Amino acid sequence: MMLQDRMFLTGLFDAAVGAAEPEQILAAHLPEPPKGRTVVVGAGKGVAQLAAAFERVWRGPLSGVVVTRYGNVCPTQFIRVMEASHPVPDEAGLKATEALFETVKGLGPDDLVVALICGGGSALLPSPPPGMTLEDEAELNRVLLASGAPISVMNSIRKQVSGIKGGRLAAAAAPAKVVSLVVSDVPFDDPAQVASGPTVPDLGTREDARRLAKTWKLRLPEKVQSWLEGEEGRAPLATDPVFSRNEVRVIASAHLSLEAAAEKVREAGIYPVILSDAIEGESRDVAKVHAAMVREVILRGRPFRRPVVILSGGETTVTIRGQGGRGGRNTEFLLAFALAAEGLPFSALAADTDGIDGSEDNAGAFADGVSMERLREKGFNPTDLLMENDAYTAFEALGDLFVPGPTGTNVNDFRAVLVR
């Protein structure tokens, strides 16, 4: 890939991330200061940066606790930042969950709880229900992550097998008012789905969770299956009066970030197209659709004329088929895309806006029409790597991994394909 194209695509990613810059977005959505105390709680891969920004823009005393992924911390003065494991929960996450409940304990009607919520919170806040252990919840997470099910399906089940998700943290804070400031990383920006909604309940029921598990043929751990079949510990509904004073605000999203990237494309004199900010499905299947569109543009000049940049967001999924492959949904998308569009004149970047794709150190990767040819020259079979879910190895061998480090925000996946 030409350095010029790589720099251009990186600039689009930076514009998308910049549109979700914590201090800027928080300043526009601050609640009214309370008569009583202000307590901050939160969870997510970008929540430490949100907490630090909130301290800078809030006028008045505050305290609180938030939990983020290991390595994503930043300095704060008044809000304690705890670290835990993602994407599979650990003991540190259990302690963080306990700390959040302790923080909202004993508050009164004049107190305010500000909940800073962003993607990744589901794994960071384990709270197994009675009769279950942390390992049971960790195993549930592993099953869900390997299933290929959409995030909405995963979260519907998680909420019914938890002591904190599905609005339970907000319920524990009553009678204090809870204002949830949500950075959305889910399709269509449903705040109840972000981090499985610890402070934002929805209308999903235990029956819905059972139906979805059956529809997706999920082999849930025995204890989880038994719990779902019972009636104990149902998640509270959004209609519960305990939530009547609360407010929920989506302060950043993939939609706004893609619009920022599109404006950057226009400034370069190129036509931008946003396919959608809410694309779901198997990464490799979504890749084939993108590749077919690029081929149509090149061969027939439709539905767009060149030069064009095709942008998309959302959250794809990966069904684990291989044994021990490395990678995330963005690198898998790009490997499948580069295979399907091999030989065509394109340059592409696929990356997670939080800076980490899956459990590796990269946000995603770059590719162009000759990437697969280069990979074969290095002795690798791209199709074999894709079948083994080993896209990281492919782009590592090419030197085309995209490693910006944690960005401090999370508005889901970012894909940009430049067709000159």
Side-chain angles (χ1 to χ4, degrees):
M1 180 186 294
M2 292 187 298
L3 179 61
Q4 177 186 0
D5 285 357
R6 188 175 295 226
M7 292 176 62
F8 174 69
L9 293 170
T10 300
L12 301 187
F13 177 86
D14 291 343
V17 170
E21 195 279 321
E23 191 163 337
Q24 178 179 321
I25 59 177
L26 283 170
H29 293 91
L30 292 179
E32 287 294 319
K35 294 180 182 178
R37 300 169 55 199
T38 299
V39 173
V40 177
V41 295
K45 289 183 280 186
V47 78
Q49 289 77 9
L50 277 174
F54 189 84
E55 288 183 343
R56 293 192 293 270
V57 298
W58 186 252
R59 297 294 177 256
L62 58 86
S63 62
V65 177
V66 298
V67 55
T68 191
R69 175 181 175 158
Y70 291 122
N72 282 23
V73 297
C74 67
T76 52
Q77 279 187 286
F78 310 108
I79 301 170
R80 179 187 177 194
V81 178
M82 302 181 70
E83 296 176 87
S85 175
H86 180 282
V88 178
D90 66 356
E91 289 284 347
L94 274 181
K95 292 178 181 177
T97 298
E98 293 169 2
L100 291 183
F101 276 119
E102 190 62 31
T103 299
V104 301
K105 186 178 179 181
L107 297 178
D110 290 335
D111 297 322
L112 171 68
V113 175
V114 177
L116 305 176
I117 307 296
C118 54
S122 293
L124 296 169
L125 294 177
S127 182
M132 265 185 260
T133 65
L134 174 63
E135 180 52 38
D136 293 323
E137 187 164 343
E139 180 59 25
L140 170 62
N141 249 29
R142 284 190 282 266
V143 169
L144 293 174
L145 290 171
S147 70
I151 189 66
S152 56
V153 171
M154 297 188 202
N155 287 348
S156 292
I157 294 170
R158 285 168 171 157
K159 290 177 186 182
Q160 297 297 331
V161 191
S162 173
I164 189 170
K165 299 174 176 65
R168 292 176 176 89
L169 181 60
K177 179 177 181 177
V178 179
V179 175
S180 298
L181 304 180
V182 181
V183 176
S184 173
D185 70 330
V186 299
F188 305 111
D189 300 331
D190 178 1
Q193 294 297 334
V194 181
S196 298
T199 58
V200 185
D202 64 18
L203 296 175
T205 65
R206 183 69 57 87
E207 289 77 16
D208 293 330
R210 289 196 289 257
R211 174 179 53 79
L212 290 168
K214 184 177 181 180
T215 299
W216 283 88
K217 297 180 174 61
L218 300 178
R219 296 184 178 180
L220 301 176
E222 186 176 340
K223 288 183 180 178
V224 172
Q225 186 65 47
S226 178
W227 176 264
L228 283 178
E229 290 171 357
E231 296 301 315
E232 184 183 356
R234 282 176 171 265
L237 295 177
T239 52
D240 193 311
V242 76
F243 305 117
S244 61
R245 298 178 60 216
N246 295 355
E247 296 178 16
V248 181
R249 307 174 189 177
V250 176
I251 61 175
S253 68
H255 162 68
L256 297 174
S257 288
L258 288 179
E259 289 290 353
E263 183 56 33
K264 189 82 172 176
V265 174
R266 292 187 194 96
E267 291 173 2
I270 302 173
Y271 181 62
V273 173
I274 298 177
L275 295 184
S276 172
D277 57 39
I279 292 176
E280 294 183 284
E282 278 283 332
S283 290
R284 58 184 66 185
D285 294 337
V286 172
K288 290 176 183 177
V289 174
H290 279 64
M293 186 170 297
V294 169
R295 192 174 295 276
E296 190 76 8
V297 167
I298 292 170
L299 296 181
R300 297 188 174 92
R302 64 185 188 194
F304 325 112
R305 301 189 72 83
R306 292 187 279 171
V308 64
V309 172
I310 300 171
L311 300 166
S312 68
E315 183 165 343
T316 60
T317 50
V318 173
T319 300
I320 303 300
R321 298 170 173 85
Q323 300 293 323
R326 303 167 68 197
R329 59 182 184 261
N330 287 285
T331 46
E332 175 139 334
F333 164 89
L334 198 62
L335 180 57
F337 175 80
L339 269 168
E342 186 171 3
L344 300 178
F346 74 87
S347 296
L349 168 64
D352 196 321
T353 53
D354 69 11
I356 302 293
D357 188 31
S359 58
E360 303 298 335
D361 59 354
N362 64 313
F366 298 96
D368 61 19
V370 298
S371 292
M372 298 301 94
E373 180 183 345
R374 291 170 53 220
L375 193 58
R376 292 187 190 93
E377 290 173 353
K378 291 181 177 293
F380 293 92
N381 184 317
T383 302
D384 288 348
L385 291 174
L386 180 61
M387 294 308 295
E388 287 296 314
N389 304 113
D390 201 10
Y392 183 96
T393 295
F395 292 109
E396 182 182 43
L398 293 172
D400 286 339
L401 291 172
F402 178 49
V403 190
T407 63
T409 191
N410 183 12
V411 287
N412 227 318
D413 298 336
F414 174 83
R415 295 176 289 268
V417 182
L418 168 63
V419 187
R420 290 200 180 276

